[in-house]
């Protein structure tokens, strides 16, 4: 898993889950691998099973917040990110709401994003050395399309964890969303220098190349991703778009047949 051999890792964790279905840890690792392998739905299902078995496990709560953000499900993303901070032993006082505030929100509602972001901003002030808090703030400001602000928090987290490939990937995705594709490409390359088999980073790199009009480079990145996960339907759709832009109808036909080997030879 650490080397990025995700298909083998997924099979191993699936076997572990089948052998001991009441053990939360294999479900957590299965969810993490599936997310990195561009299979968000399976990742979410695995992580939900993990917290069903271990409701206060912080890692899957955080990963669910990220996965639901990727799925553009803001309400559920906020639900799990709020659960993360309210169950974190270092931040329970920060996350605590007094009964009067709870009663007010019950009857009059409230801005869920504003409330959750406020908790994490207070947590960042209290513990500026906690990378996870900065990561969540990056996720939270992605939800409201405040990409420059989100990128700053990921950059803060990277000062603490400079060798975290998934964090470089998150920074790249945020920069790409904010129309800074050149910076995003460098962030994805940094992620891949740390984890050379990182499927999601290759896919995201391809998208940024495509957005820059570099469709040949995009195809190479998509192929690197598909070589490791040939079942990623959306990557096949993306590579066909780039091949159309390159005016390569024969290669589009190969992509329709999902023949990674034949495309690599071309």
């Amino acid at each position: 898993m650490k080397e990025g051999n995700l298909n083998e890792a997924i099979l191993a964790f699936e076997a572990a889950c089948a052998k001991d279905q009441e053990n939360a840890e294999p479900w957590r690792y299965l969810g993490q691998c599936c997310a990195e392998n561009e299979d968000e739905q399976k990742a979410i299902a695995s992580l939900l099973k993990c917290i069903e078995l271990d409701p206060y496990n912080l890692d899957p709560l955080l990963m669910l917040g990220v996965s639901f953000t990727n799925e553009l499900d803001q309400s559920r993303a906020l639900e799990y990110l709020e659960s993360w901070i309210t169950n974190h032993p270092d931040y329970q006082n920060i996350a605590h709401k007094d009964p009067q505030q709870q009663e007010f929100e019950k009857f009059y509602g409230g801005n869920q994003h504003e409330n959750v972001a406020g908790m994490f901003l207070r947590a960042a002030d209290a513990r500026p050395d906690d990378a996870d808090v900065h990561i969540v703030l990056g996720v939270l400001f992605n939800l409201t399309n405040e990409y420059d602000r989100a990128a700053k928090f990921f950059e803060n987290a990277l000062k603490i964890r400079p060798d975290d490939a998934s964090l470089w990937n998150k920074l790249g995705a945020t920069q790409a969303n904010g129309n800074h594709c050149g910076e995003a490409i460098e962030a994805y390359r940094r992620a891949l220098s740390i984890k050379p088999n990182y499927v999601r980073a290759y896919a995201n790199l391809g998208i940024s190349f495509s957005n820059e009009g570099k469709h040949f480079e995009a195809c190479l990145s998509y192929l690197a991703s598909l070589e490791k996960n040939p079942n990623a339907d959306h990557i096949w759709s993306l590579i066909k778009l780039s091949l159309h832009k390159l005016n390569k109808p024969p290669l589009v036909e190969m992509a329709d047949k999902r023949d990674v080997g034949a495309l690599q030879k071309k």
Side-chain angles (χ1 to χ4, degrees):
M1 175 178 164
K2 288 182 180 177
E3 283 118 24
N5 298 319
L6 293 175
N7 290 328
E8 293 175 18
I10 287 168
L11 290 174
F13 288 126
E14 285 177 338
C17 292
K19 184 177 181 180
D20 184 3
Q21 295 188 18
E22 301 306 308
N23 185 350
E25 283 303 282
W27 290 105
R28 173 167 76 92
Y29 286 117
L30 178 59
Q32 181 180 342
C33 286
C34 290
E36 292 184 4
N37 207 38
E38 291 288 294
D39 191 346
E40 209 74 73
Q41 289 301 313
K42 191 171 179 180
I44 288 170
S46 301
L47 294 168
L48 287 173
K49 179 65 176 179
C50 177
I51 62 167
E52 177 187 322
L53 298 168
D54 185 2
Y56 305 111
N57 192 325
L58 296 175
D59 286 339
L61 290 172
L62 179 54
M63 285 188 276
L64 279 166
V66 174
S67 286
F68 280 118
T69 298
N70 292 339
E71 291 291 284
L72 305 179
D73 190 337
Q74 177 169 319
S75 178
R76 297 196 75 184
L78 289 170
E79 174 189 345
Y80 288 105
L81 294 175
E82 182 173 6
S83 185
W84 184 89
I85 198 167
T86 54
N87 287 295
H88 198 296
D90 293 343
Y91 302 120
Q92 287 178 343
N93 290 337
I94 288 173
H96 176 73
K97 296 179 184 178
D98 63 58
Q100 186 175 2
Q101 181 185 0
Q102 289 178 326
E103 197 70 13
F104 180 87
E105 290 179 6
K106 178 180 177 182
F107 285 101
Y108 298 103
N111 186 319
Q112 185 185 15
H113 183 277
E114 185 177 304
N115 292 336
V116 175
M119 292 180 197
F120 279 96
L121 288 168
R122 292 193 295 276
D125 288 338
R127 286 278 309 277
D129 60 338
D130 189 337
D132 284 337
V133 170
H134 293 290
I135 291 168
V136 173
L137 284 163
V139 172
L140 284 167
F141 290 113
N142 262 287
L143 285 170
T144 50
N145 303 328
E146 297 174 78
Y147 299 120
D148 290 344
R149 192 175 184 187
K152 292 294 183 186
F153 284 109
F154 288 134
E155 288 166 356
N156 289 343
L158 280 164
K159 293 174 185 175
I160 304 164
R161 293 186 198 163
D163 297 322
D164 187 328
S166 68
L167 192 41
W168 281 106
N169 180 66
K170 288 182 179 68
L171 174 62
T174 302
Q175 291 168 328
N177 286 337
N179 295 318
H180 302 296
C181 288
E183 294 175 28
I185 286 167
E186 293 309 310
Y188 296 138
R189 284 174 168 160
R190 186 67 179 270
L192 289 163
S193 73
I194 297 166
K195 186 186 285 190
N197 293 323
Y198 197 168
V199 172
R200 174 157 280 180
Y202 272 119
N204 286 340
L205 180 61
I207 292 168
S208 282
F209 275 134
S210 178
N211 289 339
E212 292 273 276
K214 299 176 180 178
H215 295 289
F216 178 76
E217 292 86 347
C219 288
L220 293 178
S221 298
Y222 294 144
L223 281 172
S225 179
L226 289 166
E227 182 181 18
K228 295 161 186 64
N229 180 15
N231 297 316
D233 293 342
H234 66 294
I235 303 301
W236 284 110
S237 297
L238 290 169
I239 197 171
K240 284 192 284 186
L241 284 173
S242 283
L243 289 169
H244 276 297
K245 292 286 186 179
L246 291 169
N247 194 25
K248 300 288 185 181
L251 299 186
V252 174
E253 291 180 16
M254 288 182 187
D256 283 330
K257 296 175 183 176
R258 300 198 167 194
D259 192 336
V260 175
L263 283 166
Q264 287 174 323
K265 290 174 185 177
K266 297 295 183 179

